Amino acid sequence: MVVVTCTGPVSDFCGVFEGFIQRATEKTIRSTGRSSSWSSLKYSWLIQSPSMEQDMEPTVRFRVLIDHEVKKLTLNSGIPSTVDELVAAIKEQFAITTEISLQYKDEEFDDFFTLSTTKELKDKDTLKVVYVPLNITLTLVPQESTPDTSSVYSLSESVTHSDASDDTVILSPSPSERQNPWPAVFPIPTFSHNTELALSQGNEMYLRDGTLLTSPSVKADILERLAEAMFCYTAYPNDAQRSAVAQALIEKHPCLKEPGSFNGIYGWQQSLKYKCGNYRTKRKALGSPELLINSMKYKMGDERKPAKNIKKPKRAEVNYLPQHPSGETDSSLENVRLDLIEASKKRDVKSINDMMARTYSWRRMEVVVQSPDVAQFKERWPALFEPFQINEEFRRCAAVPLESVFMSQLDKYTPKLLDLFSAKGGAVGQRIKDLLMELIQDPSTSVVKKRDVTLRCLIEYMGESGQELISDYYGKTESSVHEDLKMHNMQIYVCREPDAVGIIIEGIPVLTDLGNLARACCLLLGMTYALNLQYPPQLCKTFEVFQRLFVGLDTLRPKPSSRFMTLKNKLLS
C-alpha cells in the first residue's frame, strides 16, 4: 500500500502522482521480469487538501446550553450558512416551540456574545439558547357558550427583541407582577438631569424670596415620570391617590406650588389625571391585558360602550390582570394546569407551589374575563382550595401577606374594640353583651376564643347580622352541614361535637378544617380576592373592616362608609 500525502492544490497533485505511478511500474517490471499493467497494482492514498476538505463538509458538534441542561448537537452536513438555519436545526433537534436567539462563547473574552453570523463558529464551540420574551395581546372572541376558558378568548403573541433578551437567559418564569401595594407616602422619583437641576435652583429661589417655578418643559418631564411611577402600583389611580402624589411632589419641591390654586396642588391633580390616561394609551399599545380588556374593540356586542362592564381593580388589587411570564403562552399554561391537577393528586407540594405561581396570570384571566361559577373553577384548579394557596394567591394579587397581617391587626385592635362593644347601648348593645358573656365569665380565655368573640361582636356593631355570615351547629356531622348549606351563597359554619370550621361559597364547601372562626373570616376575605367575588351586600361593612382595617388595603379610596370612618376614628382617638 502506498500512502501519498498532498498539502498543495489538487491540480498540481494529479501530474505528480501520474509520474510516480509510471516510475513505480517500470521498477516493478525490472525487478520481477514480468509485465504488469497499472490496473493490476493496488494503490491506496490519503489526500489531504484544504480545498477538498472544505468540499467534504465534515461533521461538526456543538455544546448547547438550554436552561439548566447541557446538550450535544451534531450536524452531519457541517456548519449552516446562516444563523436562521442553525436556529431551526436546534429547535428541531431539541423540540423547542418558542422563539429563540443564540449566543456563542468567545474564547478570547471567555464570555457569551450574540451570534450574528455562523462564520464565527467552529467545531466543538459552545452555544447558549436565549428565549425571546413575548408581548401578549388579549383578544376576546364572542362565543355562544363558555364551557372552557380557552374558548372564551385567545391570546396572540407578538415577539419583539430587546437589548436585555440578547444577553440574558431567563432560567425561570419572570413574573410581570407588581411587587408592592400603594405606599402610605408616595416616593417621588428622580427626574431627568436638566429637570433636577432646574428644581434645585427653583427650590433655592423659593426659599429665598418665594418665587415659583413655571416651566412647561419641566412640568412635562415631571408628569411623564410621575405617570410611570404611579403605574408601578396601579393602572387606574383614583382621585385620592393622585392627590397624594401631588401633595408629595409639592412637599419635596415647594417651588412647584400653583399660585392660582386654592390648595397649591389642584392643577397638578388634574394634569396627572389626563397624563395617566395618556400613559395608559401607550401601555395599551404594548399589549397590557389589564388595559386591553376594557378597549371597545375587545368588548362583546352589547357591551361596546365606554362605561359598560369596566374591569379594573376595585379593592386595591395590585396584580389584577397581569401578563403571562416571559416565554409562556395560553396553551403552554393550560398544559401546566393539567400537570398541576396530576401533582395535586400525588400531593407533590413543591411542584404544586411552583406551578401555582407560574399559572397565576392564567387563573386571573379566567376569573376576570369568564367569571366561572365556583364549582367549575374548583374542578379546574383544585390545588387553589387550600389555606396555604389562598394566602399565596392573596399575596400575588394584593402584594400583602394575608393571614399574618390580619391576625396581628385584629389582636392590636381587640382591646379597644372590646371597650367600644361594652359601651354600646340599645338593642345592638344587648346582643353584643350576650356575646361578650363568654369573655366576662372567663377573663383568662385563650387568644383564639377572644378573636372569635371580637369578630362576632364586630358584625353586630357594624349594624349587620352575624347569622348572615356564621352558622353554628351542635352535634351534626360536617357532611350534613354541607348538605344543609347548599343553598347559601357565602357562609362560614362552626360545628361543635364534633368540632369543624369551614367555608361555603355558592353552596360548595371550598375550605374545611380551618380550626377557628377568626381564621375562617381571614381566608374568606382571601377567597373573595382569589375568585374575584363581590362582598355580600348584607355584610359589606364587615368586609370593609376586614379589608381596610385588618389588612390595610385601599386606605386612600375616596368614599369609605360613614360607619367605618366612625369606627376608625374611635379606634385611633
Side-chain angles (χ1 to χ4, degrees):
M1 176 182 290
V2 179
V3 179
V4 180
T5 301
C6 175
T7 59
V10 177
S11 58
D12 295 342
F13 163 75
C14 294
V16 174
F17 190 71
E18 182 177 355
F20 172 78
I21 295 295
Q22 178 68 33
R23 291 192 296 273
T25 302
E26 292 175 354
K27 183 176 180 180
T28 302
I29 294 174
R30 287 196 300 269
S31 61
T32 61
R34 293 176 295 170
S35 62
S36 175
S37 63
W38 292 0
S39 59
S40 66
L41 297 177
K42 298 181 179 179
Y43 299 96
S44 299
W45 60 88
L46 173 65
I47 301 176
Q48 294 181 347
S49 171
S51 60
M52 291 188 69
E53 187 175 293
Q54 184 174 357
D55 296 338
M56 291 171 63
E57 295 184 344
T59 299
V60 293
R61 295 153 296 176
F62 293 113
R63 180 172 176 260
V64 183
L65 306 181
I66 304 177
D67 290 340
H68 297 288
E69 300 179 337
V70 180
K71 298 186 178 182
K72 179 180 178 182
L73 174 67
T74 302
L75 299 176
N76 296 325
S77 58
I79 299 176
S81 58
T82 66
V83 175
D84 290 341
E85 292 177 1
L86 180 57
V87 168
I90 290 177
K91 291 175 68 175
E92 180 180 359
Q93 177 71 25
F94 302 116
I96 299 175
T97 57
T98 58
E99 294 298 320
I100 62 172
S101 61
L102 295 177
Q103 297 175 0
Y104 74 99
K105 189 170 186 178
D106 186 89
E107 294 179 354
E108 182 178 356
F109 289 93
D110 193 28
D111 201 358
F112 286 93
F113 293 85
T114 301
L115 182 64
S116 57
T117 173
T118 56
K119 294 180 181 179
E120 300 168 337
L121 300 178
K122 60 183 181 299
D123 187 33
K124 297 183 180 180
D125 266 356
T126 299
L127 300 175
K128 183 161 65 170
V129 171
V130 179
Y131 291 99
V132 178
L134 299 174
N135 279 347
I136 301 177
T137 302
L138 179 68
T139 304
L140 298 181
V141 181
Q143 298 287 333
E144 294 181 0
S145 60
T146 57
D148 186 24
T149 306
S150 59
S151 66
V152 179
Y153 56 89
S154 63
L155 295 175
S156 59
E157 298 80 25
S158 58
V159 180
T160 57
H161 295 274
S162 65
D163 294 338
S165 66
D166 289 338
D167 300 319
T168 305
V169 176
I170 302 174
L171 299 177
S172 60
S174 179
S176 55
E177 302 173 5
R178 299 183 177 94
Q179 302 300 317
N180 297 298
W182 186 272
V185 178
F186 190 86
I188 299 299
T190 301
F191 305 111
S192 67
H193 176 74
N194 291 340
T195 299
E196 288 290 340
L197 183 61
L199 290 173
S200 176
Q201 296 174 351
N203 289 331
E204 291 178 2
M205 293 178 63
Y206 177 81
L207 294 176
R208 185 170 61 248
D209 55 21
T211 302
L212 297 175
L213 177 63
T214 56
S215 171
S217 60
V218 169
K219 183 175 183 179
D221 181 54
I222 290 174
L223 289 174
E224 184 70 24
R225 188 67 187 90
L226 287 177
E228 293 178 6
M230 293 166 72
F231 195 88
C232 293
Y233 298 101
T234 177
Y236 295 94
N238 55 39
D239 291 338
Q241 290 169 333
R242 290 191 295 268
S243 177
V245 173
Q247 185 64 44
L249 176 67
I250 297 305
E251 289 178 358
K252 185 174 182 180
H253 302 293
C255 65
L256 295 176
K257 287 182 180 179
E258 294 182 323
S261 173
F262 70 94
N263 59 359
I265 63 172
Y266 181 76
W268 282 106
Q269 290 177 244
Q270 298 305 307
S271 297
L272 283 172
K273 178 179 180 180
Y274 293 109
K275 175 55 71 173
C276 287
N278 294 337
Y279 188 75
R280 282 195 296 269
T281 302
K282 294 180 182 179
R283 293 300 295 258
K284 187 190 301 180
L286 297 176
S288 176
E290 64 181 335
L291 301 177
L292 284 174
I293 196 173
N294 292 319
S295 297
M296 293 284 287
K297 67 177 182 178
Y298 294 114
K299 290 187 176 183
M300 303 301 179
D302 60 341
E303 296 181 350
R304 290 186 177 175
K305 297 178 182 179
K308 181 84 180 250
N309 195 23
I310 298 297
K311 297 181 183 296
K312 64 179 182 180
K314 297 181 176 64
R315 295 176 300 187
E317 297 96 331
V318 176
N319 294 298
Y320 181 70
L321 195 60
Q323 291 186 351
H324 289 336
S326 297
E328 298 288 0
T329 65
D330 48 356
S331 58
S332 68
L333 291 178
E334 177 64 15
N335 290 333
V336 175
R337 183 190 69 81
L338 297 175
D339 294 338
L340 179 59
I341 294 177
E342 295 302 318
S344 300
K345 296 176 181 177
K346 299 176 182 178
R347 308 300 298 173
D348 186 348
V349 177
K350 184 178 184 304
S351 297
I352 290 173
N353 294 340
D354 292 342
M355 288 188 282
M356 284 294 291
R358 186 176 170 187
T359 55
Y360 172 69
S361 61
W362 187 232
R363 280 192 303 283
R364 292 302 297 179
M365 286 286 185
E366 185 168 340
V367 298
V368 173
V369 177
Q370 188 182 6
S371 301
D373 57 64
V374 173
Q376 178 187 357
F377 194 73
K378 186 178 181 182
E379 182 179 353
R380 287 177 54 80
W381 300 95
L384 176 64
F385 294 83
E386 296 287 343
F388 175 79
Q389 295 300 337
I390 293 299
N391 276 279
E392 287 299 295
E393 195 81 348
F394 188 86
R395 182 189 56 78
R396 298 180 194 109
C397 185
V400 173
L402 174 60
E403 202 165 342
S404 59
V405 173
F406 187 99
M407 296 304 176
S408 64
Q409 292 299 102
L410 174 58
D411 292 341
K412 172 185 174 181
Y413 289 112
T414 289
K416 200 70 177 285
L417 285 171
L418 291 176
D419 290 341
L420 292 176
F421 299 156
S422 299
K424 184 69 174 177
V428 174
Q430 186 57 51
R431 291 197 298 270
I432 291 177
K433 286 181 174 60
D434 293 340
L435 295 171
L436 289 174
M437 286 302 298
E438 197 167 355
L439 297 183
I440 296 173
Q441 294 172 358
D442 185 10
S444 61
T445 187
S446 66
V447 174
V448 172
K449 187 63 179 177
K450 188 176 293 186
R451 289 171 178 171
D452 290 1
V453 173
T454 301
L455 289 173
R456 289 176 184 269
C457 293
L458 175 65
I459 300 172
E460 302 293 337
Y461 189 85
M462 297 303 293
E464 297 170 340
S465 173
Q467 294 180 354
E468 295 287 350
L469 179 64
I470 306 165
S471 295
D472 292 290
Y473 292 89
Y474 296 89
K476 293 191 68 172
T477 63
E478 193 169 16
S479 58
S480 63
V481 171
H482 292 170
E483 187 68 25
D484 187 47
L485 297 176
K486 286 184 67 173
M487 302 305 295
H488 285 69
N489 185 51
M490 189 176 292
Q491 200 79 8
I492 295 173
Y493 62 85
V494 180
C495 301
R496 300 287 183 232
E497 299 180 5
D499 293 347
V501 179
I503 298 174
I504 300 290
I505 298 180
E506 296 180 7
I508 305 297
V510 292
L511 291 176
T512 58
D513 300 323
L514 300 182
N516 57 77
L517 176 62
R519 192 180 189 212
C521 290
C522 171
L523 292 174
L524 179 56
L525 177 67
M527 291 294 300
T528 63
Y529 277 77
L531 303 179
N532 197 38
L533 300 175
Q534 298 295 322
Y535 295 150
Q538 67 275 19
L539 293 166
C540 59
K541 295 181 181 62
T542 298
F543 277 89
E544 184 181 14
V545 176
F546 291 172
Q547 175 193 319
R548 293 175 185 264
L549 187 65
F550 294 158
V551 184
L553 290 178
D554 208 11
T555 55
L556 290 177
R557 192 170 181 84
K559 292 183 180 180
S561 68
S562 59
R563 283 185 182 272
F564 171 77
M565 290 306 302
T566 300
L567 173 64
K568 184 176 180 181
N569 291 334
K570 289 181 178 179
L571 290 174
L572 298 179
S573 62

